Amino acid sequence: DAGVIQSPRHEVTEMGQEVTLRCKPISGHNSLFWYRQTMMRGLELLIYFNNNVPIDDSGMPEDRFSAKMPNASFSTLKIQPSEPRDSAVYFCASSSRGDYGYTFGSGTRLTVV
Amino acid sequence: KNQVEQSPQSLIILEGKNCTLQCNYTVSPFSNLRWYKQDTGRGPVSLTIMTFSENTKSNGRYTATLDADTKQSSLHITASQLSDSASYICVVSDQTGANNLFFGTGTRLTVIP
């Protein structure tokens, strides 16, 4: 099992550019989560999907952020336009129904300059 | 307000020594509490998960305790190793849904030779 796979591992972009982060959950997991981690605020849930359907996006900071899950094996988190304050590590996690244990990916470190 | 607070914020110990990390929470109604280890540049990895009825759970040199009455948990690391250097994150879930997690900001542990 390759675990939760995120790409890219690192992304450096200029302010105003569009950024797309990608996630492949563990096969068979039906829930997928996007988190943002900063030194100041720790881990924050942005949005989660259940069976490919967005359930709660109340953590998405503003309209510049959007997430999609077109199928059970792929999800994207898009920031457009990006701003320096979006710089953080973005984690994707997946879990299966009734499974208390989440599995996190290795994260994407985003730097907006 | 549902909160999870961890202490200390950071800790430095000598290799071979024991240490204890603390987690206090106000999450209600309580469902379960998890401890995660996060190595630098990696995603969090689950160490233990405890429900209301469990007082202690071990995973190798890691032992977690839970006092649901006082809403406190601790993570005890025995005979520390250099590889234990990481951030340890306490996460509490309420009963509104398996996906409603509250994260502490973590304790940064450094084990020195």
Side-chain angles (χ1 to χ4, degrees):
Chain A
D1 185 354
V4 176
I5 299 173
Q6 291 186 246
S7 64
R9 286 298 311 275
H10 304 274
E11 176 80 36
V12 180
T13 190
E14 291 184 341
M15 181 175 62
Q17 296 298 307
E18 177 181 295
V19 176
T20 299
L21 312 181
R22 297 173 176 80
C23 175
K24 176 178 169 53
I26 291 175
S27 177
H29 281 190
N30 65 325
S31 295
L32 182 141
F33 310 82
W34 282 101
Y35 291 89
R36 178 172 64 178
Q37 186 178 41
T38 61
M39 288 290 291
M40 292 297 294
R41 301 172 68 92
L43 275 162
E44 301 173 286
L45 178 65
L46 299 176
I47 184 172
Y48 81 89
F49 296 83
N50 212 29
N51 295 320
N52 311 340
V53 177
I55 302 300
D56 182 0
D57 66 353
S58 59
M60 296 285 261
E62 48 198 272
D63 292 343
R64 296 184 298 106
F65 286 68
S66 63
K68 293 181 180 179
M69 191 166 186
N71 56 62
S73 59
F74 183 67
S75 177
T76 60
L77 177 68
K78 185 177 294 186
I79 308 173
Q80 166 62 22
S82 58
E83 298 182 2
R85 60 193 168 121
D86 301 331
S87 297
V89 182
Y90 291 81
F91 287 102
C92 176
S94 70
S95 73
S96 57
R97 181 182 294 277
D99 179 11
Y100 288 133
Y102 285 46
T103 302
F104 285 83
S106 295
T108 294
R109 179 173 293 278
L110 174 65
T111 305
V112 183
V113 298
Chain B
K1 182 179 179 182
N2 290 317
Q3 286 185 312
V4 178
E5 296 184 352
Q6 293 187 241
S7 62
Q9 194 171 30
S10 62
L11 182 63
I12 300 174
I13 62 173
L14 291 174
E15 185 180 12
K17 298 296 185 182
N18 304 336
C19 68
T20 300
L21 313 181
Q22 299 290 344
C23 175
N24 297 338
Y25 62 92
T26 60
V27 178
S28 182
F30 175 84
S31 176
N32 59 74
L33 183 147
R34 321 159 196 226
W35 282 94
Y36 282 90
K37 178 187 179 187
Q38 184 176 19
D39 292 311
T40 300
R42 308 295 296 177
V45 175
S46 180
L47 293 175
T48 65
I49 179 168
M50 291 186 292
T51 58
F52 184 88
S53 60
E54 296 176 294
N55 301 119
T56 185
K57 183 169 282 189
S58 292
N59 178 359
R61 294 179 296 102
Y62 301 100
T63 299
T65 65
L66 173 65
D67 186 334
D69 292 329
T70 62
K71 298 186 177 181
Q72 296 179 325
S73 176
S74 66
L75 180 68
H76 187 74
I77 304 175
T78 304
S80 61
Q81 300 177 358
L82 298 179
S83 59
D84 293 331
S85 296
S87 288
Y88 292 83
I89 303 172
C90 176
V91 184
V92 182
S93 176
D94 69 14
Q95 294 179 10
T96 62
N99 304 310
N100 209 20
L101 304 183
F102 299 89
F103 289 81
T105 54
T107 292
R108 178 68 201 176
L109 174 66
T110 303
V111 181
I112 58 176

